[in-house]
């Protein structure tokens, strides 16, 4: 047994060394060597350090204080992944989001129904598709009675960063529940409340795709892009969409108020005609619209026509707009984004 253990250890070290030559979408591992202390490789066919992503996560020591990189080889990873709070400073990277897919079929409720649950701070993902296979049919139009709560990822921790990732489901696709998060060059697809939670997040240069939703009789129904959960004037949370694109084959409101002080800003976003004329919905908070902060600034496209928008949509002062769209003031006041590995910082 001792001999076998030695062989396995040597094999692990060899594969780790080989992994330093892996490249992905313009980001090479040599770019990370000053910041990342260890790199491991996962492959669903077993030709790597680990066969499953969860095995790689479990390998990382509790209380980890150094950046560890997990390279995901191309393939479909059919597994449920949980990153516990004691496993901080993890980077998961694929070579191309269309070739690296983490998926799981689960509709077990908002707290658990997801392919990936992130409970740890300082998490980064690059070029990965997160998909909940439950009711994520390839057909563009989905009957509403078939739709279930099925997030692709649940973010339960502060300080998470995503670049070039896809998030695919129908209802509650991206559970941006707690903490400060930054999404850049990402693709988010769904029909009902598909970006939701009490997160304090900026979505920059992202594509938001609205899927079609129909009644039993085949009538096209209106969905909702956001359901943000800010709960008071002191609550710092909110969703900011900056230089994004909204398209799709369905119809949707820009958002409905998940909590009474919901806050969402679309800034310089191109909106196709999938956006309904009224734009926003107070949902359970009708009569208290003055506490909701929904705004659009310098948006373009057919769906950005504000002539028939709800009367209570806010006209924010320039100072507040500047505060919300700048990562340094809205989500990075303590400088956590600067502590990311240098090549990640260069992509901000």
């Amino acid at each position: 047994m001792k001999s076998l253990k030695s062989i396995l250890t040597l094999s692990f070290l060899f594969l780790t060394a080989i992994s330093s030559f892996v490249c992905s979408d313009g980001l090479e591992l040599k770019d990370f060597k000053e910041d990342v202390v260890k790199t491991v490789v996962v492959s669903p066919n077993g030709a790597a350090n680990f066969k499953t992503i969860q095995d790689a996560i479990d390998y990382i020591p509790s209380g980890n204080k150094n950046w560890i990189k997990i390279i995901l080889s191309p393939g479909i990873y059919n597994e449920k992944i949980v990153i516990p709070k004691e496993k901080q400073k993890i980077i998961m990277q694929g070579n191309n989001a269309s070739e690296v897919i983490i998926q799981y079929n689960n509709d077990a409720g908002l707290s658990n129904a997801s392919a990936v649950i992130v409970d740890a701070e300082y998490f980064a993902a690059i070029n990965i598709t997160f998909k909940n296979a439950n009711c994520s049919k390839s057909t563009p139009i989905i009957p509403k009675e078939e739709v279930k709560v099925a997030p692709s990822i649940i973010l339960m921790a502060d300080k998470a960063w995503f670049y070039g990732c896809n998030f695919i489901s129908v209802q509650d696709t991206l559970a941006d529940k707690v903490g400060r998060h930054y999404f850049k060059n990402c693709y988010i697809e769904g029909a009902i409340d598909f970006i939701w939670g009490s997160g304090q997040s900026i979505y920059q240069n992202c594509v938001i795709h609205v899927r079609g939703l129909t009644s039993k009789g085949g009538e096209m129904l209106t969905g909702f892009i956001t359901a943000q959960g800010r709960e008071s004037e002191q609550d710092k949370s909110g969703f900011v969409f900056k230089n994004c694109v909204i398209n799709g084959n369905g119809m949707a409101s820009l958002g409905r108020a998940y909590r009474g002080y919901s806050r969402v800003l679309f800034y310089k976003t191109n909106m196709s005609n999938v956006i309904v004329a009224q734009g926003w919905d107070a949902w359970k908070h009708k009569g208290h619209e003055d506490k909701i902060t929904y705004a659009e600034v310098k948006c373009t496209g057919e769906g950005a026509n504000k002539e028939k928008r709800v009367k209570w949509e806010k006209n924010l002062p320039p100072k507040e707009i500047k505060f919300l769209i700048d990562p340094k003031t809205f989500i990075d006041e303590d400088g956590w984004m600067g502590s990311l590995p240098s090549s990640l910082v260069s992509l901000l």
Side-chain angles (χ1 to χ4, degrees):
M1 289 297 294
K2 185 175 181 181
S3 176
L4 177 59
K5 185 176 181 180
S6 297
I7 292 172
L8 290 172
T9 301
L10 288 171
S11 298
F12 176 84
L13 292 172
F14 174 75
L15 284 168
T16 301
I18 290 296
S19 71
S20 65
F21 294 95
V22 177
C23 299
S24 69
D25 252 15
L27 295 176
E28 298 182 3
L29 295 189
K30 65 179 178 60
D31 297 327
F32 294 89
K33 65 183 180 181
E34 293 179 2
D35 307 276
V36 177
V37 300
K38 185 179 288 293
T39 299
V40 297
V41 181
V42 181
S43 175
N45 64 19
N49 304 130
F50 302 99
K51 190 173 182 178
T52 71
I53 299 169
Q54 191 63 56
D55 282 346
I57 298 296
D58 294 343
Y59 158 80
I60 295 171
S62 295
N64 173 57
K65 295 182 180 179
N66 299 302
W67 285 101
I68 294 179
K69 189 176 186 64
I70 301 173
I71 292 290
L72 304 184
S73 301
I76 296 175
Y77 296 83
N78 289 295
E79 57 176 306
K80 184 177 180 64
I81 299 160
V82 177
I83 303 175
K85 61 182 179 181
E86 65 270 16
K87 308 270 186 169
Q88 298 186 4
K89 294 200 170 181
I90 292 175
I91 302 168
M92 292 199 327
Q93 182 178 337
N95 65 319
N96 187 304
S98 65
E99 297 176 357
V100 178
I101 301 169
I102 301 172
Q103 68 176 27
Y104 195 71
N105 186 337
N106 193 347
D107 62 347
L110 288 178
S111 62
N112 197 42
S114 179
V116 178
I117 299 175
V118 180
D119 283 323
E121 294 187 348
Y122 290 104
F123 173 79
I126 304 169
N127 301 333
I128 298 169
T129 291
F130 300 91
K131 181 178 181 180
N132 195 319
N134 188 282
C135 198
S136 54
K137 298 177 179 178
S138 58
T139 54
I141 307 297
I142 308 292
K144 189 177 187 301
E145 63 269 21
E146 295 182 15
V147 177
K148 299 178 181 179
V149 172
S152 66
I153 191 169
I154 299 177
L155 300 176
M156 296 293 295
D158 195 23
K159 299 185 281 286
W161 184 92
F162 296 85
Y163 182 88
C165 291
N166 300 333
F167 304 89
I168 299 173
S169 187
V170 180
Q171 181 169 350
D172 300 321
T173 301
L174 202 169
D176 190 349
K177 289 190 74 172
V178 178
R180 295 167 295 168
H181 310 132
Y182 183 72
F183 302 82
K184 188 171 183 181
N185 295 355
C186 292
Y187 172 89
I188 308 158
E189 177 181 301
I192 303 174
D193 302 339
F194 61 99
I195 304 172
W196 73 279
S198 301
Q200 183 178 341
S201 303
I202 290 179
Y203 296 79
Q204 184 167 338
N205 302 344
C206 293
V207 174
I208 301 163
H209 184 84
V210 177
R211 297 187 70 168
L213 192 68
T214 61
S215 66
K216 284 185 178 180
E219 178 187 0
M220 189 70 77
L221 301 175
T222 298
F224 305 91
I225 293 174
T226 67
Q228 204 280 328
R230 185 168 175 250
E231 298 193 63
S232 70
E233 289 184 0
Q234 292 72 40
D235 187 339
K236 295 181 179 180
S237 72
F239 296 159
V240 175
F241 297 87
K242 182 179 176 181
N243 300 323
C244 293
V245 172
I246 301 175
N247 60 28
N249 48 25
M251 299 189 307
S253 161
L254 292 168
R256 61 178 175 175
Y258 179 53
R259 293 288 185 265
Y261 289 80
S262 184
R263 178 165 63 174
V264 181
L265 167 64
F266 284 89
Y267 178 80
K268 290 188 177 180
T269 289
N270 183 270
M271 304 177 181
S272 74
N273 61 3
V274 302
I275 301 303
V276 295
Q278 65 270 26
W280 305 94
D281 190 329
W283 199 10
K284 301 175 183 178
H285 306 284
K286 288 181 171 62
H288 302 279
E289 289 89 349
D290 59 310
K291 297 175 182 176
I292 299 170
T293 302
Y294 286 158
E296 303 165 65
V297 177
K298 298 182 180 180
C299 293
T300 59
E302 189 175 348
N305 187 334
K306 296 172 68 174
E307 289 183 8
K308 297 181 180 180
R309 286 291 194 262
V310 294
K311 301 300 183 184
W312 46 270
E313 182 180 40
K314 295 292 190 297
N315 290 310
L316 299 179
K319 185 177 180 179
E320 186 172 352
I321 294 168
K322 183 179 179 181
F323 173 84
L324 291 170
I325 65 174
D326 188 346
K328 291 181 180 179
T329 51
F330 184 51
I331 61 172
D332 189 36
E333 69 279 8
D334 59 356
W336 71 270
M337 295 173 74
S339 68
L340 294 168
S342 58
S343 42
L344 270 69
V345 173
S346 70
L347 297 174
L348 296 177

